Amino acid sequence: MTFSPQLEARFEKLLTSYPPGRQRSAMIPMLMYAQDELGCVSDELIDEVARRIGVTPLQVNEVLTYYSMLHRKPLGKYHVQVCTNISCLLYDGDKLYEHACKKLGITHKEVTADGQFSIEEVECMGACSWAPAIQINYDFHHYVTPEKLDQLLDGLRKKQ
Amino acid sequence: MADLVNLTIDGRAVQVPPQTLVIDAAKTVGIEIPAFCYYEGLSLQAACRMCLVEVEKMPKMMTACTLPVAEGMIVRTETEQVKQARKYTLEFLLTNHPLDCPVCDKGGECELQDMVFRYGAGESRYTEEKVHTPEKQFSPVVFFDAPRCILCFRCVRICNEGMGVNALGVINRGVVSEIAPNVGDHLECDECGACIDICPVGALTSGTYRYQTRPWEMTHVGTICTHCGDGCKTTLGTRNDEIIRGNNRDRSGINGEFLCIKGRYAFDFYNHPERLQAPMVRVNGKLEEVSWAQALEVVARKFDATVSANGSFGVIGSNHTSNEENFYLQKFAREVLKTNNIDHHRTGDVVTLLDAMSGTKSQLATVADLYDRKAVLVLGADLALEHPLLSYQIRANYRHHQAHVYAITPGEVREDKYTVASIRVGGGPASKKGDLGVIPGKEVGATTSGPGSHPVGGPGVVPNAEAGAHFDPVNGPGKATGSPTGFVVPANVKSITGNYFDALESLRDQLKAEPELVILFDDSIKGADVRALVEFAESLGIPVKFICLVDYANSRGAVDMGLTPELFPGYKPTGASGMHVSEMTGSDLDVLWVVGANPLKGAVKRKAGFLVVQDMFLTETAQQADVVLPAASAYEKSGTVTNTTGEVQQLTRAVNTMGAKPDLEIMGFIAREMGVAGQLGPWVANVVFEEIRKNVRGYSLPMPVIATGGAAQSMPVNGRIAVDDLSALVHSDHNGLFASGTLGRYSKVLNSVLESHLSR
Ligand code: SF4
Ligand code: SF4
Ligand code: SF4
Ligand code: FES
Ligand code: FES
């Protein structure tokens, strides 16, 4: 499997960042970066990462299915993650999530027909102090209200 | 005992070596700490929290399965807090676990059931709906029922660590975590069933046993697996004269709890629809069923007539029949039929090894040695496929004692993952069978050896006599071009670089530095090569033990009991000549008597005037017979067998198959019919074994050990064995995990698993 030169360079760096024999430690970052480039984690990618770090594809799958930020199916261009864990819940995170679903016309782990947005209900993201919090791709947004969410999504929609 | 650690468990003083885990320390004074995920011999997991105990000065309860003892430690295992913790843990484990023990396969021998009975709460506070997922079939052998799984990781660890297969994993997280197979929705693995046996609950069940019986309805019979030469003890669960399952949960026997697919499941040939249940005699060119009396009479009269007419006999024995049967057969042949034409299919050059070892310091290894000794050298065989138990022992030795393992094999082997050095010889898998190409030898300088007079590249190598002709020191045997070296060296071994010879030479230096060594070799090393190997071992200056690999359950016993023209039982040379298997099948003997073998397989036409066959099935040989006598399998008789390491163990009859008789009985009846029974003695297994113990060199074994289901190693090394080199007759079948010679064809399980159809 071939990747972009930038990704290859990243992989190379990762594989030498750990002591000899511990290359499997590079699994999560490799999957994350590759997912960014490919859109999701494919079977082919699982095999490739397994081969490069010397584990079985099943072992990659174990890790992959454990972590919610790794995806087997392509996401929207903008992946909207709404926290409904305790702190955010206390600040109406659940209502925010419902609002987002209604607005985009999709629910948990679904993608809009135009492929622009996907949504996911997530557990605590460590942003409790600024609850309710959401994350779009790698960017955090704090103290989010339904209005603020609308603005954000509309803004992104225009950007395309 | 200065270096023992003192601690107190439940008020009792305990003394154990440092590093002992609290759970094991408690066991030494008879205190049981309940546990699910802790499993002796496997890595620690600390997944189940069942083993929580209170330890003074520690702020919270500790998992006894991961806590090493410390001087002065005070542990309490029966406080109110501990009891509560156990209740809660069990309540938690049961939240999604179905409470339908009456229809669960594990009911009656389930660890969760037992724990709840002893430590659990009477009722659950959990009233929500349980998460349910349907059962999955991973393979014909392995079924998985996720809701019953308590996520102890035992199956994952036994497969990764014990089997070295890595076929199981845990996917997802939290309440939806489940066990997953290695290839999409199914398993491609050894199909050994170890994961099923080790599962404390009914989450993993076997395709053959599930829903067949309740465990308490079975009778458990410990006997010896009749497939490969490793000699695992298998405990057969029987009911109403049917074998329902095989396992070895009590860890008795040389194999502990290990069994491969053949020992655990491939007993199923015994009730194959084609199993012979009545004697047959050829009438007008067709085999017709007759009574035992008629068949025996036909055989006896023919034998009588041939003896009195001074006619020629040939006798071919088996790799599966018991020592008693083999002994009786050769006695019958030599004393009654007056023939020395007696042989069997030889699968390893035991004779040359024993001869070469006489007068040296080398010894024979046991199965236990593979677990205990510091270093192991594997020559030729792909152990994981051909000798699963031996491979398992070496893996465990590496895991537990960091044994140094070396492998010189034609293809990649499972041992490569942890060898100090792996050397590829023989030009890859194509020449896998019987052509190792080189063996490590002692210093030979720049001499030549073997046909073809090849220049030998330096000290440390004796080219294999047979392979010498096409041996190329740079490219490897049989390869004109190709990769520059033809052998692989793991990256972590710096000292082995360059070509074959350097590799082998450096290997020799490494071996010299080992404190001790066990060498295993298969039929790629025979005759003169075996002698070179023993000399090589002697030259190392360290204690070396040998295992000559042989194929089947009693391949070793067949040689020991004199099923060859050149040797009486106990390796006493006969000094007389006689025909070998292929000579017998190829010549027009008056009578050929085949007991439990299939020498005419592969469309060999029978030449003998009269052919008598004792077998379980209508094999190619039996199809051409004049008389076919239905024989009992190893699971239907008593007696002893000798495994590849020379360890003698007892067979115990588990079931009967209507119409079939043990070969010993059949031979006894023929003798009686001929009026020679007095001369041959009673055809009762333990009487014959007594005779063997008294008369056969190396077999004066301690009866109590054998009678109680143990293994005793026969030690026939005692002086030279003056016979010609007949190693050319040695030829292993190299059965993989899913093959077992002719017998394997009749096992449903072996033929049903996907892997038996992949090229392995
Ligand atoms: S059957 Fe044996 S090899 Fe297959 S998954 Fe289970 S333990 Fe592993
Ligand atoms: S399937 Fe059985 S052995 Fe495997 S984790 Fe679940 S309970 Fe443990
Ligand atoms: S076939 Fe060999 S390794 Fe497998 S259970 Fe039988 S004796 Fe053991
Ligand atoms: S609960 Fe939402 S970020 Fe922590
Ligand atoms: S036995 Fe200690 S945590 Fe499972």
Side-chain angles (χ1 to χ4, degrees):
Chain A
M1 203 174 174
T2 48
F3 305 103
S4 69
Q6 294 86 330
L7 189 56
E8 283 293 356
R10 268 190 150 150
F11 280 0
E12 200 164 306
K13 182 153 181 301
L14 279 168
L15 287 172
T16 51
S17 304
Y18 303 95
R22 311 257 176 92
Q23 271 52 44
R24 57 164 63 193
S25 305
M27 187 194 297
I28 294 175
M30 281 175 82
L31 289 170
M32 294 280 287
Y33 290 134
Q35 171 173 277
D36 287 347
E37 182 164 308
L38 305 170
C40 70
V41 181
S42 62
D43 288 348
E44 203 189 358
L45 178 63
I46 293 178
D47 292 348
E48 182 68 18
V49 170
R51 195 180 59 75
R52 293 197 187 196
I53 60 177
V55 301
T56 64
L58 176 59
Q59 284 166 327
V60 175
N61 208 29
E62 288 182 296
V63 172
L64 171 68
T65 52
Y66 185 90
Y67 289 106
S68 59
M69 68 277 191
L70 292 165
H71 304 273
R72 292 304 312 274
K73 283 194 224 119
L75 302 169
K77 183 171 173 198
Y78 301 105
H79 185 49
V80 183
Q81 299 146 69
V82 186
C83 173
T84 57
N85 212 302
I86 186 78
S87 306
C88 295
L89 189 74
L90 291 172
Y91 282 88
D92 292 338
D94 54 335
K95 297 206 179 83
L96 190 66
Y97 172 66
E98 272 163 34
H99 178 83
C101 289
K102 220 173 277 155
K103 167 134 183 114
L104 293 172
I106 50 173
T107 125
H108 186 58
K109 290 200 174 171
E110 288 180 351
V111 189
T112 53
D114 60 2
Q116 290 301 307
F117 292 97
S118 51
I119 204 163
E120 186 173 357
E121 181 181 7
V122 297
E123 306 300 336
C124 180
M125 315 185 289
C128 310
S129 310
W130 310 284
I134 70 166
Q135 193 186 345
I136 300 180
N137 294 350
Y138 285 113
D139 299 327
F140 280 90
H141 302 274
H142 302 147
Y143 306 120
V144 184
T145 58
E147 297 70 41
K148 198 168 162 192
L149 184 78
D150 286 347
Q151 279 171 22
L152 271 169
L153 297 181
D154 293 340
L156 290 172
R157 198 168 264 150
K158 275 201 207 91
K159 234 169 78 182
Q160 342 168 349
Chain B
M1 292 242 217
D3 42 14
L4 290 185
V5 176
N6 296 286
L7 69 159
T8 313
I9 303 179
D10 291 345
R12 302 181 60 174
V14 183
Q15 266 200 334
V16 288
Q19 296 301 317
T20 306
L21 298 166
V22 168
I23 195 167
D24 291 329
K27 248 176 243 166
T28 64
V29 289
I31 296 171
E32 189 193 345
I33 298 175
F36 285 114
C37 69
Y38 178 68
Y39 201 86
E40 218 182 301
L42 298 182
S43 63
L44 304 181
Q45 191 77 37
C48 73
R49 322 312 284 180
M50 192 61 206
C51 65
L52 289 172
V53 292
E54 271 184 59
V55 182
E56 226 167 67
K57 299 205 182 97
M58 293 206 180
K60 50 180 189 168
M61 284 188 284
M62 304 297 292
T63 47
C65 72
T66 53
L67 183 68
V69 294
E71 189 63 33
M73 191 181 249
I74 299 172
V75 181
R76 296 195 183 87
T77 76
E78 290 295 342
T79 64
E80 267 320 300
Q81 195 192 11
V82 170
K83 285 185 190 158
Q84 274 303 325
R86 288 175 188 164
K87 272 205 178 79
Y88 292 154
T89 300
L90 286 168
E91 190 178 9
F92 193 58
L93 287 176
L94 288 179
T95 47
N96 283 307
H97 194 100
L99 296 177
D100 58 357
C101 304
V103 295
C104 173
D105 227 33
K106 201 75 173 187
E109 49 183 11
C110 169
E111 294 179 36
L112 182 59
Q113 215 177 39
D114 295 349
M115 293 276 197
V116 174
F117 177 71
R118 283 180 62 184
Y119 305 107
E123 50 197 48
S124 170
R125 288 166 295 172
Y126 186 82
T127 50
E128 285 77 3
E129 204 180 322
K130 296 188 179 226
V131 173
H132 182 77
T133 44
E135 193 178 38
K136 294 178 182 144
Q137 183 175 6
F138 288 167
S139 78
V141 171
V142 186
F143 286 71
F144 175 62
D145 192 13
R148 294 186 205 279
C149 173
I150 60 168
L151 291 168
C152 66
F153 288 70
R154 281 193 199 173
C155 54
V156 176
R157 285 175 289 155
I158 192 76
C159 189
N160 289 357
E161 301 166 18
M163 304 306 301
V165 174
N166 293 301
L168 294 173
V170 179
I171 58 162
N172 302 331
R173 171 165 54 161
V175 76
V176 291
S177 301
E178 61 177 34
I179 300 299
N182 58 349
V183 185
D185 62 350
H186 68 276
L187 278 170
E188 280 175 29
C189 68
D190 283 6
E191 305 287 359
C192 66
C195 50
I196 300 169
D197 265 10
I198 207 170
C199 180
V201 294
L204 288 168
T205 52
S206 85
T208 59
Y209 170 73
R210 63 207 305 271
Y211 307 132
Q212 297 293 314
T213 183
R214 304 309 296 176
W216 55 85
E217 289 178 326
M218 288 186 292
T219 306
H220 303 278
V221 183
T223 189
I224 306 304
C225 170
T226 192
H227 291 282
C228 89
D230 293 356
C232 295
K233 178 156 179 213
T234 173
T235 304
L236 300 175
T238 68
R239 194 192 59 188
N240 300 337
D241 239 7
E242 272 182 70
I243 306 176
I244 305 189
R245 78 172 174 196
N247 66 21
N248 208 37
R249 293 303 294 155
D250 63 0
R251 296 185 173 200
S252 57
I254 53 175
N255 49 313
E257 66 195 310
F258 174 84
L259 285 172
C260 77
I261 180 172
K262 288 184 258 187
R264 213 182 297 270
Y265 302 114
F267 54 75
D268 62 348
F269 62 81
Y270 91 98
N271 62 359
H272 189 280
E274 287 170 31
R275 184 75 195 271
L276 298 177
Q277 291 189 287
M280 289 189 282
V281 171
R282 193 168 295 277
V283 183
N284 300 327
K286 266 187 62 193
L287 282 173
E288 279 180 12
E289 290 194 0
V290 295
S291 71
W292 269 101
Q294 287 169 293
L296 290 167
E297 193 181 343
V298 173
V299 175
R301 292 298 82 80
K302 182 71 191 178
F303 282 12
D304 276 340
T306 313
V307 171
S308 31
N310 245 332
S312 55
F313 279 99
V315 178
I316 298 177
S318 165
N319 277 293
H320 288 285
T321 49
S322 69
N323 287 325
E324 292 75 6
E325 290 166 336
N326 295 346
F327 183 84
Y328 197 91
L329 179 62
Q330 63 82 33
K331 201 171 166 191
F332 201 132
R334 291 186 163 116
E335 292 179 16
V336 175
L337 307 181
K338 309 277 183 225
T339 181
N340 202 32
N341 296 337
I342 179 161
D343 202 8
H344 72 288
H345 167 205
R346 307 162 188 215
T347 59
D349 197 357
V350 184
V351 179
T352 308
L353 176 67
L354 295 178
D355 184 36
M357 277 170 61
S358 88
T360 71
K361 287 197 277 318
S362 297
Q363 290 180 304
L364 294 175
T366 60
V367 169
D369 283 327
L370 290 176
Y371 177 68
D372 292 332
R373 296 258 141 180
K374 304 261 185 283
V376 178
L377 169 63
V378 182
L379 293 173
D382 189 344
L383 283 188
L385 304 188
E386 296 176 35
H387 292 275
L389 169 63
L390 307 188
S391 169
Y392 176 85
Q393 289 289 92
I394 298 172
R395 265 194 304 282
N397 193 358
Y398 172 74
R399 257 178 25 251
H400 296 158
H401 314 132
Q402 294 77 48
H404 289 178
V405 181
Y406 303 84
I408 305 184
T409 54
E412 277 179 27
V413 290
R414 199 173 291 169
E415 283 71 35
D416 288 342
K417 272 189 231 155
Y418 50 86
T419 50
V420 177
S422 289
I423 301 181
R424 287 293 99 80
V425 294
S431 61
K432 197 171 177 135
K433 299 195 173 152
D435 179 13
L436 197 55
V438 288
I439 58 157
K442 51 183 260 176
E443 303 244 337
V444 291
T447 59
T448 60
S449 164
S453 289
H454 252 257
V456 175
V461 185
V462 180
N464 177 314
E466 272 173 73
H470 60 267
F471 181 74
D472 175 337
V474 177
N475 297 312
K479 261 211 238 164
T481 55
S483 68
T485 51
F487 65 90
V488 291
V489 178
N492 54 343
V493 182
K494 299 273 176 342
S495 57
I496 297 185
T497 50
N499 67 25
Y500 256 149
F501 293 133
D502 295 341
L504 290 169
E505 199 180 337
S506 129
L507 179 73
R508 188 196 49 195
D509 293 341
Q510 280 180 306
L511 294 177
K512 270 188 172 164
E514 298 289 356
E516 56 188 3
L517 181 68
V518 179
I519 300 179
L520 305 94
F521 65 92
D522 69 358
D523 69 337
S524 55
I525 293 188
K526 49 195 181 186
D529 290 343
V530 176
R531 295 181 193 283
L533 187 63
V534 173
E535 269 182 69
F536 167 73
E538 288 292 297
S539 78
L540 293 175
I542 56 171
V544 178
K545 292 190 171 192
F546 282 99
I547 295 175
C548 173
L549 299 170
V550 291
D551 285 4
Y552 296 106
N554 207 22
S555 288
R556 177 60 191 280
V559 202
D560 289 0
M561 292 303 129
L563 291 191
T564 62
E566 62 275 15
L567 292 168
F568 286 123
Y571 300 87
K572 272 198 227 123
T574 57
S577 62
M579 289 183 175
H580 304 299
V581 173
S582 59
E583 291 166 338
M584 284 190 257
T585 54
S587 70
D588 49 1
L589 294 163
D590 292 321
V591 174
L592 180 60
W593 183 15
V594 179
V595 178
N598 188 15
L600 301 184
K601 70 164 171 266
V604 181
K605 269 253 154 337
R606 134 187 183 190
K607 290 263 176 57
F610 194 81
L611 176 62
V612 180
V613 175
Q614 297 176 205
D615 209 306
M616 284 176 260
F617 299 100
L618 210 54
T619 62
E620 288 92 327
T621 308
Q623 280 163 22
Q624 304 185 45
D626 293 291
V627 181
V628 181
L629 302 169
S633 74
Y635 302 137
E636 295 152 347
K637 61 182 157 200
S638 46
T640 61
V641 286
T642 308
N643 77 346
T644 192
T645 53
E647 291 171 84
V648 181
Q649 303 178 88
Q650 198 171 43
L651 298 173
T652 308
R653 195 185 62 209
V655 288
N656 293 296
T657 289
M658 280 280 281
K661 293 186 192 302
D663 291 292
L664 184 59
E665 208 171 301
I666 299 175
M667 293 185 280
F669 286 160
I670 298 174
R672 186 173 63 186
E673 192 66 33
M674 290 172 73
V676 294
Q679 185 184 348
L680 291 176
W683 50 90
V684 175
N686 41 26
V687 177
V688 180
F689 191 60
E690 263 320 295
E691 193 178 345
I692 294 172
R693 283 183 66 219
K694 291 212 180 75
N695 299 310
V696 178
R697 184 164 81 176
Y699 271 76
S700 53
L701 301 164
M703 220 30 227
V705 175
I706 293 175
T708 53
Q713 193 180 32
S714 66
M715 270 297 171
V717 193
N718 180 20
R720 308 220 65 111
I721 306 168
V723 292
D724 294 341
D725 180 354
L726 292 169
S727 57
L729 299 172
V730 171
H731 168 75
S732 161
D733 281 340
H734 293 281
N735 287 308
L737 267 179
F738 309 102
S740 184
T742 300
L743 193 57
R745 296 186 213 155
Y746 299 95
S747 162
K748 273 191 298 294
V749 165
L750 288 185
N751 293 298
S752 71
V753 295
L754 175 73
E755 297 84 350
S756 63
H757 306 285
L758 305 173
S759 55
R760 292 187 53 163

